[in-house]
Amino acid sequence: MTTERYNAREAEPRWQKVWDQRNIFATRNDDPRQKYYVLEMFPYPSGRIHMGHVRNYTMGDVVARYKRAIGLNVLHPMGWDAFGMPAENAAMERRVHPKAWTYQNIAAMKAQLKSMGLSLDWAREIATCDPSYYKHQQKMFLDFLEAGLVERKLGKVNWDPVDRTVLANEQVIDGRGWRSGALVEQREMPQWYFRITKFSEDLLQALDGLERWPEKVRVMQRNWIGRSEGLHLRFALDPTTTPSGEDELDVFTTRHDTLFGAKFMALSPDHPLAGAAAAKNPALAEFIAECKRHGTAQQVIDTAEKQGFDTGMKAIHPFDPTWKLPVYVANFILMDYGTGAIFGCPAHDQRDLDFANKYGLGNTPVVCPPEQDPATFVITDTAYEGDGRMINSRFLDGMTIEQAKEVVARRLEHTSRGNRPVATRQVNFRLRDWGISRQRYWGCPIPVIHCERCGIVPVPESDLPVTLPDDVDFDRPGNPLERHPTWKNVACPQCGGPARRETDTMDTFVDSSWYYMRYADPHNETAPFSREAVDAWLPVDQYIGGVEHAILHLMYARFFTKALYDLGYLGFTEPFANLFTQGMIYYLGAKMAKSKGNVISPDAMVERYGADTVRLYSLFLGPPEQDAEWFDGGVEGSHRFLAKLWRLAQASAAEMPPGIPASVPADGPGADLVRKAHATIEKVTNDIGARFAFNTAEAAVHELVNEARSTEAASPEQRRFAVATAVSLIQPYAPHITCELWQLLGGERLWDEPWPVADPAMLVSDEVTYAVQVNGKLRGQVSVQADLDRDSVLEQARAHPNVARHLDGSPVVKEIFVPGKLVNLVTG
């Protein structure tokens, strides 16, 4: 075993084989120990893992190995988010079936992940494209349908003309499809929707309890849910100006305090009144058609140039019958938020101001900032959206915004038109129902049948799963299921008459909305999981993944959990107790991507340096929550550290018989080394266990190894204790070489060893380090006996070479002394 150099190519596969043969990382559901469920977001099987995967899964693996070492029953599974458009694109480009392409990629990526030495329970592996998985998803869909959580309705959708499928608003990035990059179009199609909006308030309020989630993620979800309290206001219309004598326009507003700043009304292009006007105005009809050639995502609409069409209709101000407002159709108003109509107050809404400036509508400030003179306060190109007092608002002048809102609401609530109040208080949400219909083959079939006689008929549970046909072709664009008569055309389960299957498949985000639950009981054939198993393992104790999933995946997973709770599937309402979002890896100044030609191959790095080196460096790049720059020279540094640790252990093995001392006395010349070992245990335990500070924990072990090498006066037992401590602490990062070294030092199964515990008595240092400043600038540090008096500390501080150089004989006029921390020498 004691060789001159460590051979990672030989050792790493050997230890991986040992772990596999002994089922070291298999997890039992009946284990009586306290559970700990650590999970990284599962990958899409694209064919190769990248350095982002390596960093992500190494983080989870360090946590999993640490939690096992402190005695917990750890679940650390892996699976594949295996449905989706890339497989169909590959089928068209390479003439290979999506199923074959997907499973080939799974095999390749699984081999790569295994080469990284990840402590995964592969016995729980799942793939969302496996009928044994998605048959349970289909049953959930039917249960949601029965419970009123699924709806089929005509809706405006984002159509990706390249992938030829519908996209959710969240899947439209800067007006383009999130996978194809194509400019999306707006279409009206019948779609299946999950009624996530039924949980709007619950999803919002529950965020307050997710204290171990990053605040930025909670803010993003709060903003997406978008709760707003306002007024449902019925503006009167001048019927002589409307297409068919319409006399009323409903508006929802959160800024009813600004009514006296109103300059225009604006309708969504999809508003019924806009449609009625367009039927008599070809120019307006063409404007509406142009608006619909763009997507429905709020982000796209917010960033597009504000455009409008003056319909000639007039609305009447609710407080002044002589005040008439022009009614426009505008491209920045969405029909599915509020009522699809607004009143525009340009002075206090930037969107409205941009629109008003474009069309010369002017603005009237009605809220004056505290520091401004109302007589001279004007708005030009920037709306004022802050707090202040009301101006130019008749009976509201001088009030605060909240006071003005209350007065306006109260007055209009008590004003009637047609036996109804002009206004009512209302709560609105920005969140919209989740459209899950996708016009593609490689997805989970939606288990319903359409019958002309019976309507929508659920597939009987006994007929689940509805599986995808294998004999499909991708020679033409579009969904192959539409062109597969023997699969599409079936008998109605109710009347036996001719019917057809639903050919839309589910959005792949449905697949990933509950996969983490399936890991609790992955081989259950009759149910997605047993209630006992899922309640025992869930919620996930530590979830790790990218912040880019803050809205898409994490919101949907929370919805699914709450829906399944209501249906009795499980006994908890939030899926992830603790969330960590890791940063991106950059190389050559850009995020790693094939399109940018800056991808570093993990395979090549593992082949050259070994998996342990790659794992170490991926976490040494910097704080894991921040983006990091890959530096080739840094990999060499991690490799040199492992070589240094190897040589140190070799030397220790040569100077005393095999054996791992549980503790050694901190006396004699090696006392400082023993104390350093205990301090390192304390540091690494806190950094991994409490703070996810993987990089600083690793740096602390580097320091211990360096001190063990440089402290020649330590006894063999003291050095062995320090070396064994370093091996134990770095084991979660570098599991292969540490297993090798543990045996070399006289141990057996490092993976069975408990985590080292620092002796509190060893953490009390008899020395203290002072920062020494000259005129407030740090010039050095001095370490002195903890009980040294003030004058002696000042004497040593003055004697520090760099301090003496900066004093340069100048008289010290003031000495600032902070016991145990700081000396500041102020010169005249």
Side-chain angles (χ1 to χ4, degrees):
M1 164 133 3
T2 56
T3 57
E4 188 73 21
R5 299 179 65 180
Y6 173 65
N7 185 346
R9 291 185 186 179
E10 183 277 327
E12 290 182 349
R14 171 163 46 82
W15 282 110
Q16 291 163 15
K17 185 177 180 181
V18 169
W19 300 333
D20 283 347
Q21 289 176 341
R22 301 185 186 184
N23 291 321
I24 301 302
F25 309 121
T27 307
R28 296 195 346 257
N29 281 6
D30 60 353
D31 192 309
R33 295 175 298 168
Q34 180 183 342
K35 69 95 175 179
Y36 191 87
Y37 186 177
V38 56
L39 182 66
E40 308 86 51
M41 295 179 184
F42 64 168
Y44 179 78
S46 59
R48 312 301 296 173
I49 66 170
H50 51 68
M51 281 301 176
H53 289 126
V54 171
R55 194 183 194 207
N56 192 37
Y57 298 135
T58 302
M59 286 181 198
D61 201 48
V62 168
V63 174
R65 289 177 180 273
Y66 165 74
K67 295 294 184 180
R68 287 192 192 95
I70 65 172
L72 302 183
N73 181 31
V74 173
L75 174 58
H76 187 208
M78 179 56 68
W80 310 96
D81 192 9
F83 273 136
M85 278 302 300
E88 289 193 44
N89 292 338
M92 289 183 279
E93 294 166 8
R94 308 175 193 183
R95 297 195 172 277
V96 59
H97 195 280
K99 181 177 180 180
W101 184 84
T102 299
Y103 279 101
Q104 288 169 8
N105 289 349
I106 286 175
M109 292 177 70
K110 183 176 181 179
Q112 287 182 292
L113 292 178
K114 283 197 165 188
S115 76
M116 295 302 303
L118 300 171
S119 61
L120 295 164
D121 183 356
W122 284 105
R124 295 178 185 250
E125 179 184 11
I126 61 172
T128 60
C129 65
D130 191 319
S132 67
Y133 178 86
Y134 69 71
K135 76 174 181 180
H136 301 298
Q137 187 165 301
Q138 291 174 340
K139 176 60 167 61
M140 290 176 185
F141 177 95
L142 296 178
D143 288 347
F144 283 19
L145 182 63
E146 184 178 0
L149 296 177
V150 176
E151 183 178 16
R152 183 173 169 83
K153 58 186 177 181
L154 201 65
K156 302 292 179 182
V157 298
N158 301 302
W159 178 257
D160 187 316
V162 172
D163 283 343
R164 298 186 66 80
T165 188
V166 167
L167 302 177
N169 280 345
E170 299 90 334
Q171 294 167 319
V172 179
I173 310 300
D174 295 329
R176 297 178 180 272
W178 72 303
R179 286 198 184 276
S180 72
L183 285 169
V184 300
E185 303 168 359
Q186 186 182 140
R187 292 191 180 184
E188 189 171 61
M189 300 172 62
Q191 298 284 294
W192 290 99
Y193 291 86
F194 280 149
R195 298 185 64 188
I196 189 173
T197 53
K198 291 190 70 173
F199 294 87
S200 296
E201 190 69 48
D202 193 4
L203 287 166
L204 179 65
Q205 296 301 324
L207 287 170
D208 292 337
L210 298 178
E211 297 175 352
R212 291 181 289 163
W213 279 39
E215 182 57 23
K216 63 182 178 182
V217 173
R218 295 198 292 172
V219 168
M220 291 168 74
Q221 291 217 353
R222 285 191 187 99
N223 291 341
W224 191 259
I225 295 168
R227 187 184 192 276
S228 55
E229 296 184 13
L231 213 60
H232 182 192
L233 178 58
R234 298 162 53 225
F235 272 80
L237 293 173
D238 180 350
T240 65
T241 65
T242 58
S244 303
E246 293 89 347
D247 60 1
E248 196 168 82
L249 179 62
D250 286 354
V251 167
F252 173 78
T253 178
T254 61
R255 292 301 308 269
H256 36 291
D257 55 300
T258 65
L259 267 171
F260 286 103
K263 292 295 180 182
F264 65 92
M265 311 294 292
L267 308 175
S268 164
D270 297 311
H271 196 284
L273 187 56
K280 299 181 178 181
N281 188 332
L284 175 57
E286 175 53 35
F287 174 79
I288 292 175
E290 177 59 30
C291 292
K292 293 183 178 182
R293 282 191 273 271
H294 301 283
T296 66
Q298 183 73 57
Q299 178 192 32
V300 177
I301 290 169
D302 287 345
T303 56
E305 181 186 359
K306 307 300 179 285
Q307 294 183 330
F309 188 100
D310 188 350
T311 64
M313 292 185 280
K314 300 293 183 183
I316 300 170
H317 195 282
F319 288 125
D320 186 343
T322 66
W323 185 346
K324 295 189 177 182
L325 299 165
V327 179
Y328 282 77
V329 174
N331 67 341
F332 60 92
I333 309 299
L334 279 176
M335 188 62 214
D336 60 356
Y337 179 76
T339 65
I342 67 157
F343 79 84
C345 177
H348 304 291
D349 182 286
Q350 190 62 46
R351 182 186 61 174
D352 294 351
L353 181 61
D354 293 342
F355 186 83
N357 285 347
K358 181 180 178 69
Y359 292 102
L361 301 175
N363 73 79
T364 299
V366 292
V367 179
C368 184
E371 70 280 3
Q372 291 282 342
D373 179 358
T376 59
F377 179 54
V378 295
I379 297 290
T380 54
D381 296 323
T382 303
Y384 178 66
E385 299 178 353
D387 205 357
R389 294 278 175 175
M390 304 305 298
I391 60 174
N392 302 322
S393 296
R394 303 185 188 183
F395 55 84
L396 301 176
D397 284 351
M399 295 182 185
T400 66
I401 289 175
E402 291 307 314
Q403 289 170 340
K405 283 184 176 181
E406 180 60 30
V407 169
V408 168
R410 193 165 58 246
R411 285 201 180 197
L412 294 179
E413 283 175 319
H414 290 88
T415 302
S416 297
R417 186 187 312 117
N419 298 320
R420 288 193 300 155
V422 168
T424 54
R425 299 176 199 248
Q426 184 173 311
V427 173
N428 263 20
F429 292 90
R430 182 175 182 265
L431 184 67
R432 292 292 163 259
D433 284 333
W434 173 14
I436 65 162
S437 294
R438 299 295 180 265
Q439 293 68 41
R440 61 187 179 216
Y441 164 78
W442 194 235
C444 173
I446 295 175
V448 297
I449 291 170
H450 300 273
C451 174
E452 290 189 8
R453 180 181 302 173
C454 305
I456 293 174
V457 181
V459 171
E461 185 178 349
S462 59
D463 291 345
L464 300 181
V466 177
T467 58
L468 294 167
D470 288 330
D471 55 335
V472 291
D473 69 82
F474 295 90
D475 295 336
R476 288 172 285 166
N479 184 357
L481 295 177
E482 282 284 354
R483 306 191 297 268
H484 197 294
T486 59
W487 185 88
K488 176 181 176 180
N489 299 317
V490 293
C492 173
Q494 286 187 2
C495 70
R500 63 175 183 83
R501 292 191 188 279
E502 173 62 68
T503 57
D504 286 354
T505 54
M506 295 187 201
D507 180 8
T508 56
F509 281 99
V510 180
D511 312 339
S512 59
S513 290
W514 68 280
Y515 79 102
Y516 48 90
M517 301 178 191
R518 179 65 173 171
Y519 287 135
D521 193 13
H523 306 299
N524 193 323
E525 296 182 0
T526 59
F529 38 74
S530 73
R531 174 73 182 263
E532 180 184 14
V534 75
D535 283 354
W537 279 116
L538 276 289
V540 175
D541 295 282
Q542 182 62 66
Y543 200 37
I544 303 172
V547 72
E548 66 272 17
H549 296 293
I551 300 300
L552 292 150
H553 164 57
L554 292 172
M555 184 77 81
Y556 295 154
R558 294 183 63 221
F559 156 69
F560 239 75
T561 303
K562 294 180 186 300
L564 291 175
Y565 172 84
D566 284 357
L567 294 176
Y569 274 84
L570 38 85
F572 53 92
T573 58
E574 287 290 340
F576 313 118
N578 202 341
L579 174 68
F580 185 85
T581 54
Q582 85 282 2
M584 300 285 188
I585 294 183
Y586 287 75
Y587 184 60
L588 301 177
K591 175 185 169 184
M592 284 191 184
K594 290 180 182 178
S595 61
K596 296 175 182 173
N598 66 343
V599 173
I600 301 293
S601 167
D603 290 348
M605 287 290 167
V606 171
E607 176 68 19
R608 182 174 179 182
Y609 296 106
D612 286 339
T613 293
V614 178
R615 289 167 59 112
L616 272 173
Y617 182 59
S618 73
L619 296 188
F620 199 59
L621 286 168
E625 70 278 9
Q626 297 178 11
D627 294 343
E629 183 79 19
W630 182 274
F631 175 56
D632 291 341
V635 189
E636 292 281 358
S638 294
H639 192 58
R640 286 194 299 270
F641 164 72
L642 290 180
K644 188 187 302 182
L645 179 60
W646 176 261
R647 291 192 297 270
L648 180 63
Q650 293 276 347
S652 178
E655 67 177 349
M656 68 173 283
I660 309 291
S663 63
V664 293
D667 55 18
D672 287 346
L673 179 60
V674 176
R675 291 195 185 92
K676 179 69 172 179
H678 282 279
T680 306
I681 293 171
E682 183 77 358
K683 167 73 172 169
V684 173
T685 301
N686 288 334
D687 281 359
I688 294 178
R691 302 195 304 117
F692 261 40
F694 301 116
N695 57 322
T696 56
E698 187 178 333
V701 180
H702 284 223
E703 291 180 11
L704 176 60
V705 169
N706 288 337
E707 189 157 332
R709 292 178 72 233
S710 61
T711 307
E712 298 179 359
S715 69
E717 291 81 6
Q718 289 172 326
R719 194 181 329 278
R720 175 67 56 85
F721 177 73
V723 174
T725 297
V727 169
S728 295
L729 295 177
I730 208 67
Q731 176 265 137
Y733 294 76
H736 309 90
I737 191 172
T738 50
C739 282
E740 194 94 351
L741 292 177
W742 195 254
Q743 283 195 349
L744 173 65
L745 297 174
E748 293 187 13
R749 297 176 298 277
L750 180 56
W751 55 83
D752 284 339
E753 290 292 322
W755 188 254
V757 178
D759 182 348
M762 296 290 184
L763 302 177
V764 179
S765 175
D766 56 3
E767 285 192 347
V768 64
T769 299
Y770 281 85
V772 184
Q773 297 177 343
V774 177
N775 296 324
K777 293 186 178 180
L778 183 65
R779 299 305 184 187
Q781 291 181 327
V782 293
S783 296
V784 300
Q785 291 295 314
D787 57 355
L788 203 62
D789 62 83
R790 177 182 185 276
D791 290 342
S792 299
V793 173
L794 289 170
E795 182 181 351
Q796 292 203 29
R798 287 170 179 270
H800 188 287
N802 196 44
V803 173
R805 182 169 67 86
H806 281 86
L807 289 174
D808 194 26
S810 300
V812 175
V813 298
K814 187 176 182 180
E815 297 169 337
I816 300 172
F817 178 78
V818 181
K821 295 182 178 179
L822 173 72
V823 170
N824 184 15
L825 305 174
V826 181
T827 62

